[in-house]
Amino acid sequence: MSETETPHEAGDLPKALAVPRKRWQLPLVWLVPILALLLGGWLAVQAVLKQGPTIHIEFQTGEGLVAGKTHIKYKDVDVGMVSDVAIAPDRKSVIVTAKLSGQARDFAVEDTRFWVVKPRIAGGSVSGLDTLLSGAFIGVDVGKSDVSQTEFKGLEVPPMLIDGVPGKRFQLRAENLGSIDYGVPVYFRKLAVGQVVAYDLDKDGKGALVTIFVSAPYDRFVTEDTRFWSSSGLDFSVDANGLRFNTESLSTLLVGGLVFGSPSGTAAPPAKSGAQFVLYDNQQTAMREHDTQVELYRLVFHQTVHGLVVGAPVEFRGIQFGEVASIGLSYDASTQRVDVPVVIRVFPERLQRYTVDPETKSDAILDKLIESGLRAQLRSGSLLTGQLYVAFDFFPGVAKAVLKRKRGMPEIPTVDGSLNELEASITSIARKIDKIPFEEISKDLRSAIASLDSTVKQADILLKQVNQDVAPELKRTLAGAQQTMQRAERLMSQDAPLQQDLRDTLREVSRAAASMRSLTDYLDRHPEALIRGRTPDEDKP
């Protein structure tokens, strides 16, 4: 190396080495806060996810509802909490604000129903008794709609039926509601198969509409020809057929009930859900044959019709083919007589089924029957109630008559009822009784009674004399007879002398009889002994 070269130039200088840059490390003291932050964030997200929508429910009153305490329950599971209870702006109701849980997020749809669960008595059943201790809560029935909604109007009465229960709903139309209430049972063959779920007035206000629910599988027994009737308490009726008493079950005596059934011999298809039926007052009216053809006839009676009412049956030999439609009065100026015209409804279909030709007109049938003596007559349907009914029958020997028309209505001839004949007989008997001389009979009777009284007095005197005179002698005679019997008893005793003498006498008689028997035997062998006597040799044996 020359003098002019430097050490650096000589190549012996150290080389620089590249050192890797150190990474930044988080101190362990920050690990705990970070984990806490992450956990808090996760809990916050979960809380947001679990929180459902806020809804508003309108109720008539806020009875039993407390903010922060009243729960919303679905099938006894908490799905929300009431957060506020406030009066509505119009002061007619209260607005309940509630927050639903996340699992109830889908509950906020337009057909969801809310109601307050508290102790209630309806339809003979008691519900909500558990709220006496735990307090009221809001029940919910989830709807099936896809339209979201947060404003609801709460039900004042809990729904009798929760959606999803298999069965069918039907509507019954009645003239009045009677004793029907929510939850009233519906019976089929005395088995509870449903209940009343709603009722309201008809649109025109002339009747009531009752909505019932029949559970499956019993809903298949509701057919298009099914009849519904009310069985509220005691079915008690009095008519021309007598006294009727019927009840469906013991519970109907308290809360009533509805019953349905079908006439025998029908096979109609099952009714569709929502079908409407008529609700009758009783089973008799419900099961009555529904006739499509009705004809009016006029009857004129010349007697009292006390006991005949509108709706009374019209029968022919026990078969009903009509009913009484109206009862009135008419004055005939020519005869100056007041008659009672009775209009009856006749159902031709019931008559035609008994004719050979179904196309035969009713008037033609009646013309022939009247010529044969057919007449209408009032008869007693029940001696207990005094109700009358109209009976058609043949009366031989009655005056001839024809079917005539008055005031545009056919008039059928009548005859006096059996009650009139009975009254006439009673009147005749009363007149005969009136002719009986009761005064003379009473005088003779009094005389006979006086004579009998005298005879009784004489008999009493005679008995007294017998008691005084004859009785002592009779006592003495009886005493003597008793003594005689005692003596006879002593004589007949075994150790009496008479008995000993009698036994000795009988022994002597026995010996004599034996001697006579021996003599008889000897003479039988030696008859010559009667002449020459007995020889000594014969004495030897």
Side-chain angles (χ1 to χ4, degrees), residues 90-396:
D90 58 2
R91 300 179 183 178
K92 295 181 179 180
S93 59
V94 296
I95 305 298
V96 177
T97 302
K99 293 183 179 180
L100 299 179
S101 62
Q103 62 179 343
R105 185 178 292 105
D106 297 336
F107 288 12
V109 292
E110 61 179 359
D111 56 347
T112 296
R113 300 179 292 179
F114 296 89
W115 67 92
V116 178
V117 179
K118 55 186 177 180
R120 298 177 186 271
I121 299 177
S125 61
V126 180
S127 61
L129 290 180
D130 54 337
T131 61
L132 291 174
L133 300 177
S134 62
F137 62 88
I138 298 177
V140 57
D141 180 27
V142 182
K144 298 180 180 179
S145 175
D146 295 331
V147 180
S148 299
Q149 180 176 308
T150 58
E151 303 289 335
F152 299 93
K153 186 174 181 61
L155 302 176
E156 297 303 320
V157 179
M160 293 292 105
L161 186 67
I162 305 300
D163 288 338
V165 178
K168 294 180 182 178
R169 293 174 182 258
F170 303 101
Q171 276 195 334
L172 310 180
R173 182 181 177 86
E175 293 184 359
N176 55 72
L177 193 61
S179 60
I180 298 174
D181 197 1
Y182 292 102
V184 167
V186 178
Y187 293 94
F188 177 70
R189 300 189 183 280
K190 297 188 182 297
L191 178 68
V193 298
Q195 59 182 338
V196 174
V197 296
Y199 57 82
D200 199 357
L201 284 176
D202 200 355
K203 293 181 179 179
D204 54 7
K206 296 181 179 180
L209 287 177
V210 180
T211 303
I212 66 171
F213 178 81
V214 180
S215 304
Y218 307 109
D219 54 345
R220 61 190 176 92
F221 297 115
V222 181
T223 65
E224 295 178 355
D225 196 31
T226 293
R227 316 286 173 84
F228 289 84
W229 64 89
S230 176
S231 179
S232 301
L234 298 177
D235 184 5
F236 180 83
S237 62
V238 178
D239 55 19
N241 294 321
L243 184 66
R244 286 191 181 89
F245 173 79
N246 186 30
T247 184
E248 192 66 22
S249 67
L250 183 60
S251 63
T252 59
L253 295 176
L254 303 176
V255 300
L258 304 181
V259 190
F260 69 89
S262 300
S264 58
T266 59
K272 297 180 179 180
S273 181
Q276 190 174 101
F277 297 88
V278 177
L279 179 61
Y280 295 93
D281 293 333
N282 50 61
Q283 182 179 5
Q284 181 189 8
T285 306
M287 290 302 181
R288 184 179 298 171
E289 194 170 2
H290 295 172
D291 299 276
T292 58
Q293 300 180 17
V294 179
E295 295 182 1
L296 299 179
Y297 289 87
R298 188 170 184 263
L299 311 174
V300 179
F301 292 101
H302 312 296
Q303 64 182 89
T304 178
V305 293
H306 180 69
L308 185 68
V309 297
V310 175
V314 177
E315 299 181 356
F316 176 71
R317 294 185 175 179
I319 299 176
Q320 182 177 351
F321 67 96
E323 62 183 12
V324 174
S326 65
I327 304 173
L329 285 174
S330 66
Y331 174 72
D332 189 350
S334 60
T335 59
Q336 296 184 354
R337 185 174 63 183
V338 177
D339 297 325
V340 182
V342 176
V343 178
I344 62 173
R345 298 188 188 96
V346 174
F347 308 116
E349 295 172 330
R350 303 188 189 183
L351 292 175
Q352 291 170 358
R353 73 181 62 170
Y354 301 108
T355 60
V356 177
D357 183 8
E359 300 299 328
T360 305
K361 299 297 183 181
S362 300
D363 288 0
I365 298 174
L366 288 174
D367 278 332
K368 295 180 180 179
L369 296 178
I370 290 173
E371 290 179 3
S372 301
L374 180 70
R375 300 291 185 272
Q377 184 185 52
L378 289 179
R379 293 181 182 176
S380 175
S382 173
L383 295 177
L384 177 63
T385 62
Q387 297 292 319
L388 300 179
Y389 70 97
V390 179
F392 280 80
D393 208 339
F394 292 96
F395 297 87

Side-chain angles (χ1 to χ4, degrees), residues 88 291 382 406 420 461 469:
D291 299 276
S382 173
K406 284 189 177 181
N420 275 11
I461 294 172
D469 301 337

